[in-house]
């Protein structure tokens, strides 16, 4: 019996946890499939994706720096992929066409609401960053009906562009980093890539409301700089994006296989392997 082939493309890709996560999902749900990682640059993407699907591949995940290219590559888009203009999941359809989806936002919302028991309804939310990840999470967060979302970004014009583009979604505004000290938020989400280089945007004390929550989309073997900042602000919870990673993978698995894997055992296993991790 031939088994269905899946892969994640990106650059860098060596340390990706996705092959392991999908292997655990496949075992748990008894799905005959394989999932590998492949180093693919932006310049190589079109050829690599064509080859993958020509050889019978069933689905791809695309990560940095390929999500926008994957959005262009897809022949059909889900509503959430259409909105975000970024695709992290490609799936071959029964008619041979390729569907593009974005499971990042639902992955974040599922981690927050189901795993961490953090509800977004009527919460004041600040998102740091205006890159691809912010584009992916805005729609699914807004569906949870927060009191409002504020975006702040180093390059102010990018925050402005996103706010204009997503204005119809709901109560969305922007704030320059320098003006943040006049505000406080119940939930602060770090969607900048600063944690990857151990940096942190300059954030004023008092920005996080009492009993507030910090969530860093980035993750690592140690608490990220933003997770540590949240703990210093006495956040009720300050966590990183490992849960989101597993949840977005579960949603991609569902798109491909029509089966929902259990995510908590996978998150617990990956968490237990992290050395001296201190997220509350
Ligand atoms: P992008 O490259 O598209 O965007 C990066 C963002 O970070 C931009 O807003 C950029 O601001 C900002 N930034 C970068 N350096 C600095 C700095 N020194 N100071 C202030 N702001 C800075 O990346 P993505 O949006 O794709 O990813 C963002 C993060 O989310 C990454 O850490 C990624 O790993 C993580 N992620 C995690 C996922 C998960 O499943 N857990 C899924 C998707 C993403 P500017 O516009 O000014 O350049």
């Amino acid at each position: 019996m031939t088994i269905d082939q899946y892969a994640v493309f990106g650059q860098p890709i060596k340390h990706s946890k996705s092959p392991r996560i999908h292997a655990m999902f496949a075992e748990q749900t008894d799905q005959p499939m394989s999932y590998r990682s492949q180093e693919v640059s932006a310049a190589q993407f079109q050829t690599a994706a064509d080859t993958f699907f020509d050889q019978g591949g069933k689905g791809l995940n695309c990560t940095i720096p390929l999500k926008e290219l994957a959005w262009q590559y897809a022949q059909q888009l889900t509503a959430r992929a259409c909105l975000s203009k970024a695709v992290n999941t490609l799936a071959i359809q029964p008619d041979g066409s390729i569907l593009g989806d974005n499971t990042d936002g639902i992955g974040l919302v599922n981690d927050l609401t189901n795993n961490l028991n953090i509800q977004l309804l009527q919460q004041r939310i600040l998102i740091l960053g205006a890159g691809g990840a912010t584009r992916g999470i805005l729609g699914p967060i807004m569906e949870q009906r927060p009191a409002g979302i504020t975006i702040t970004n180093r390059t102010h014009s990018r925050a402005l562009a996103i706010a204009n583009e997503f204005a119809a979604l709901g109560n969305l505004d922007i704030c320059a980093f320098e003006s943040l000290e006049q505000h406080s938020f119940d939930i602060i989400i770090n969607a900048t890539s600063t944690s990857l280089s151990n940096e942190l945007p300059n954030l004023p004390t008092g920005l996080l409301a009492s009993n507030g929550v910090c969530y860093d989309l980035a993750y690592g073997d140690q608490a990220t700089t933003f997770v540590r900042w949240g703990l210093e602000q006495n956040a009720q919870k300050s966590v990183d994006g490992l849960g989101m990673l597993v949840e977005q993978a579960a949603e991609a698995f569902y798109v491909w296989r029509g089966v929902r894997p259990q995510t908590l055992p996978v998150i617990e296993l990956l968490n237990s392997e992290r050395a001296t991790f201190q997220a509350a």
Side-chain angles (χ1 to χ4, degrees), residues 64 67 104 129-134 153-155 158 191-194 196 199 201 217-219 241 244-245 248:
I64 289 175
K67 290 183 188 179
D104 283 337
T134 296
N153 193 48
R154 177 178 62 179
T155 309
R158 288 185 83 193
T192 72
S193 46
T194 50
L196 302 176
E199 294 171 277
L217 300 197
Y219 51 86
M244 172 179 172
L245 177 77
Q248 64 76 27

Side-chain angles (χ1 to χ4, degrees), residues 103-124:
T103 65
D104 283 337
I106 191 69
L108 170 66
V109 167
N110 283 346
D111 192 37
L112 283 166
T113 58
N114 299 340
N115 302 335
L116 299 166
N117 200 19
I118 297 163
Q119 303 311 319
L120 308 183
L121 182 71
Q122 288 305 321
Q123 299 296 292
R124 295 164 298 160

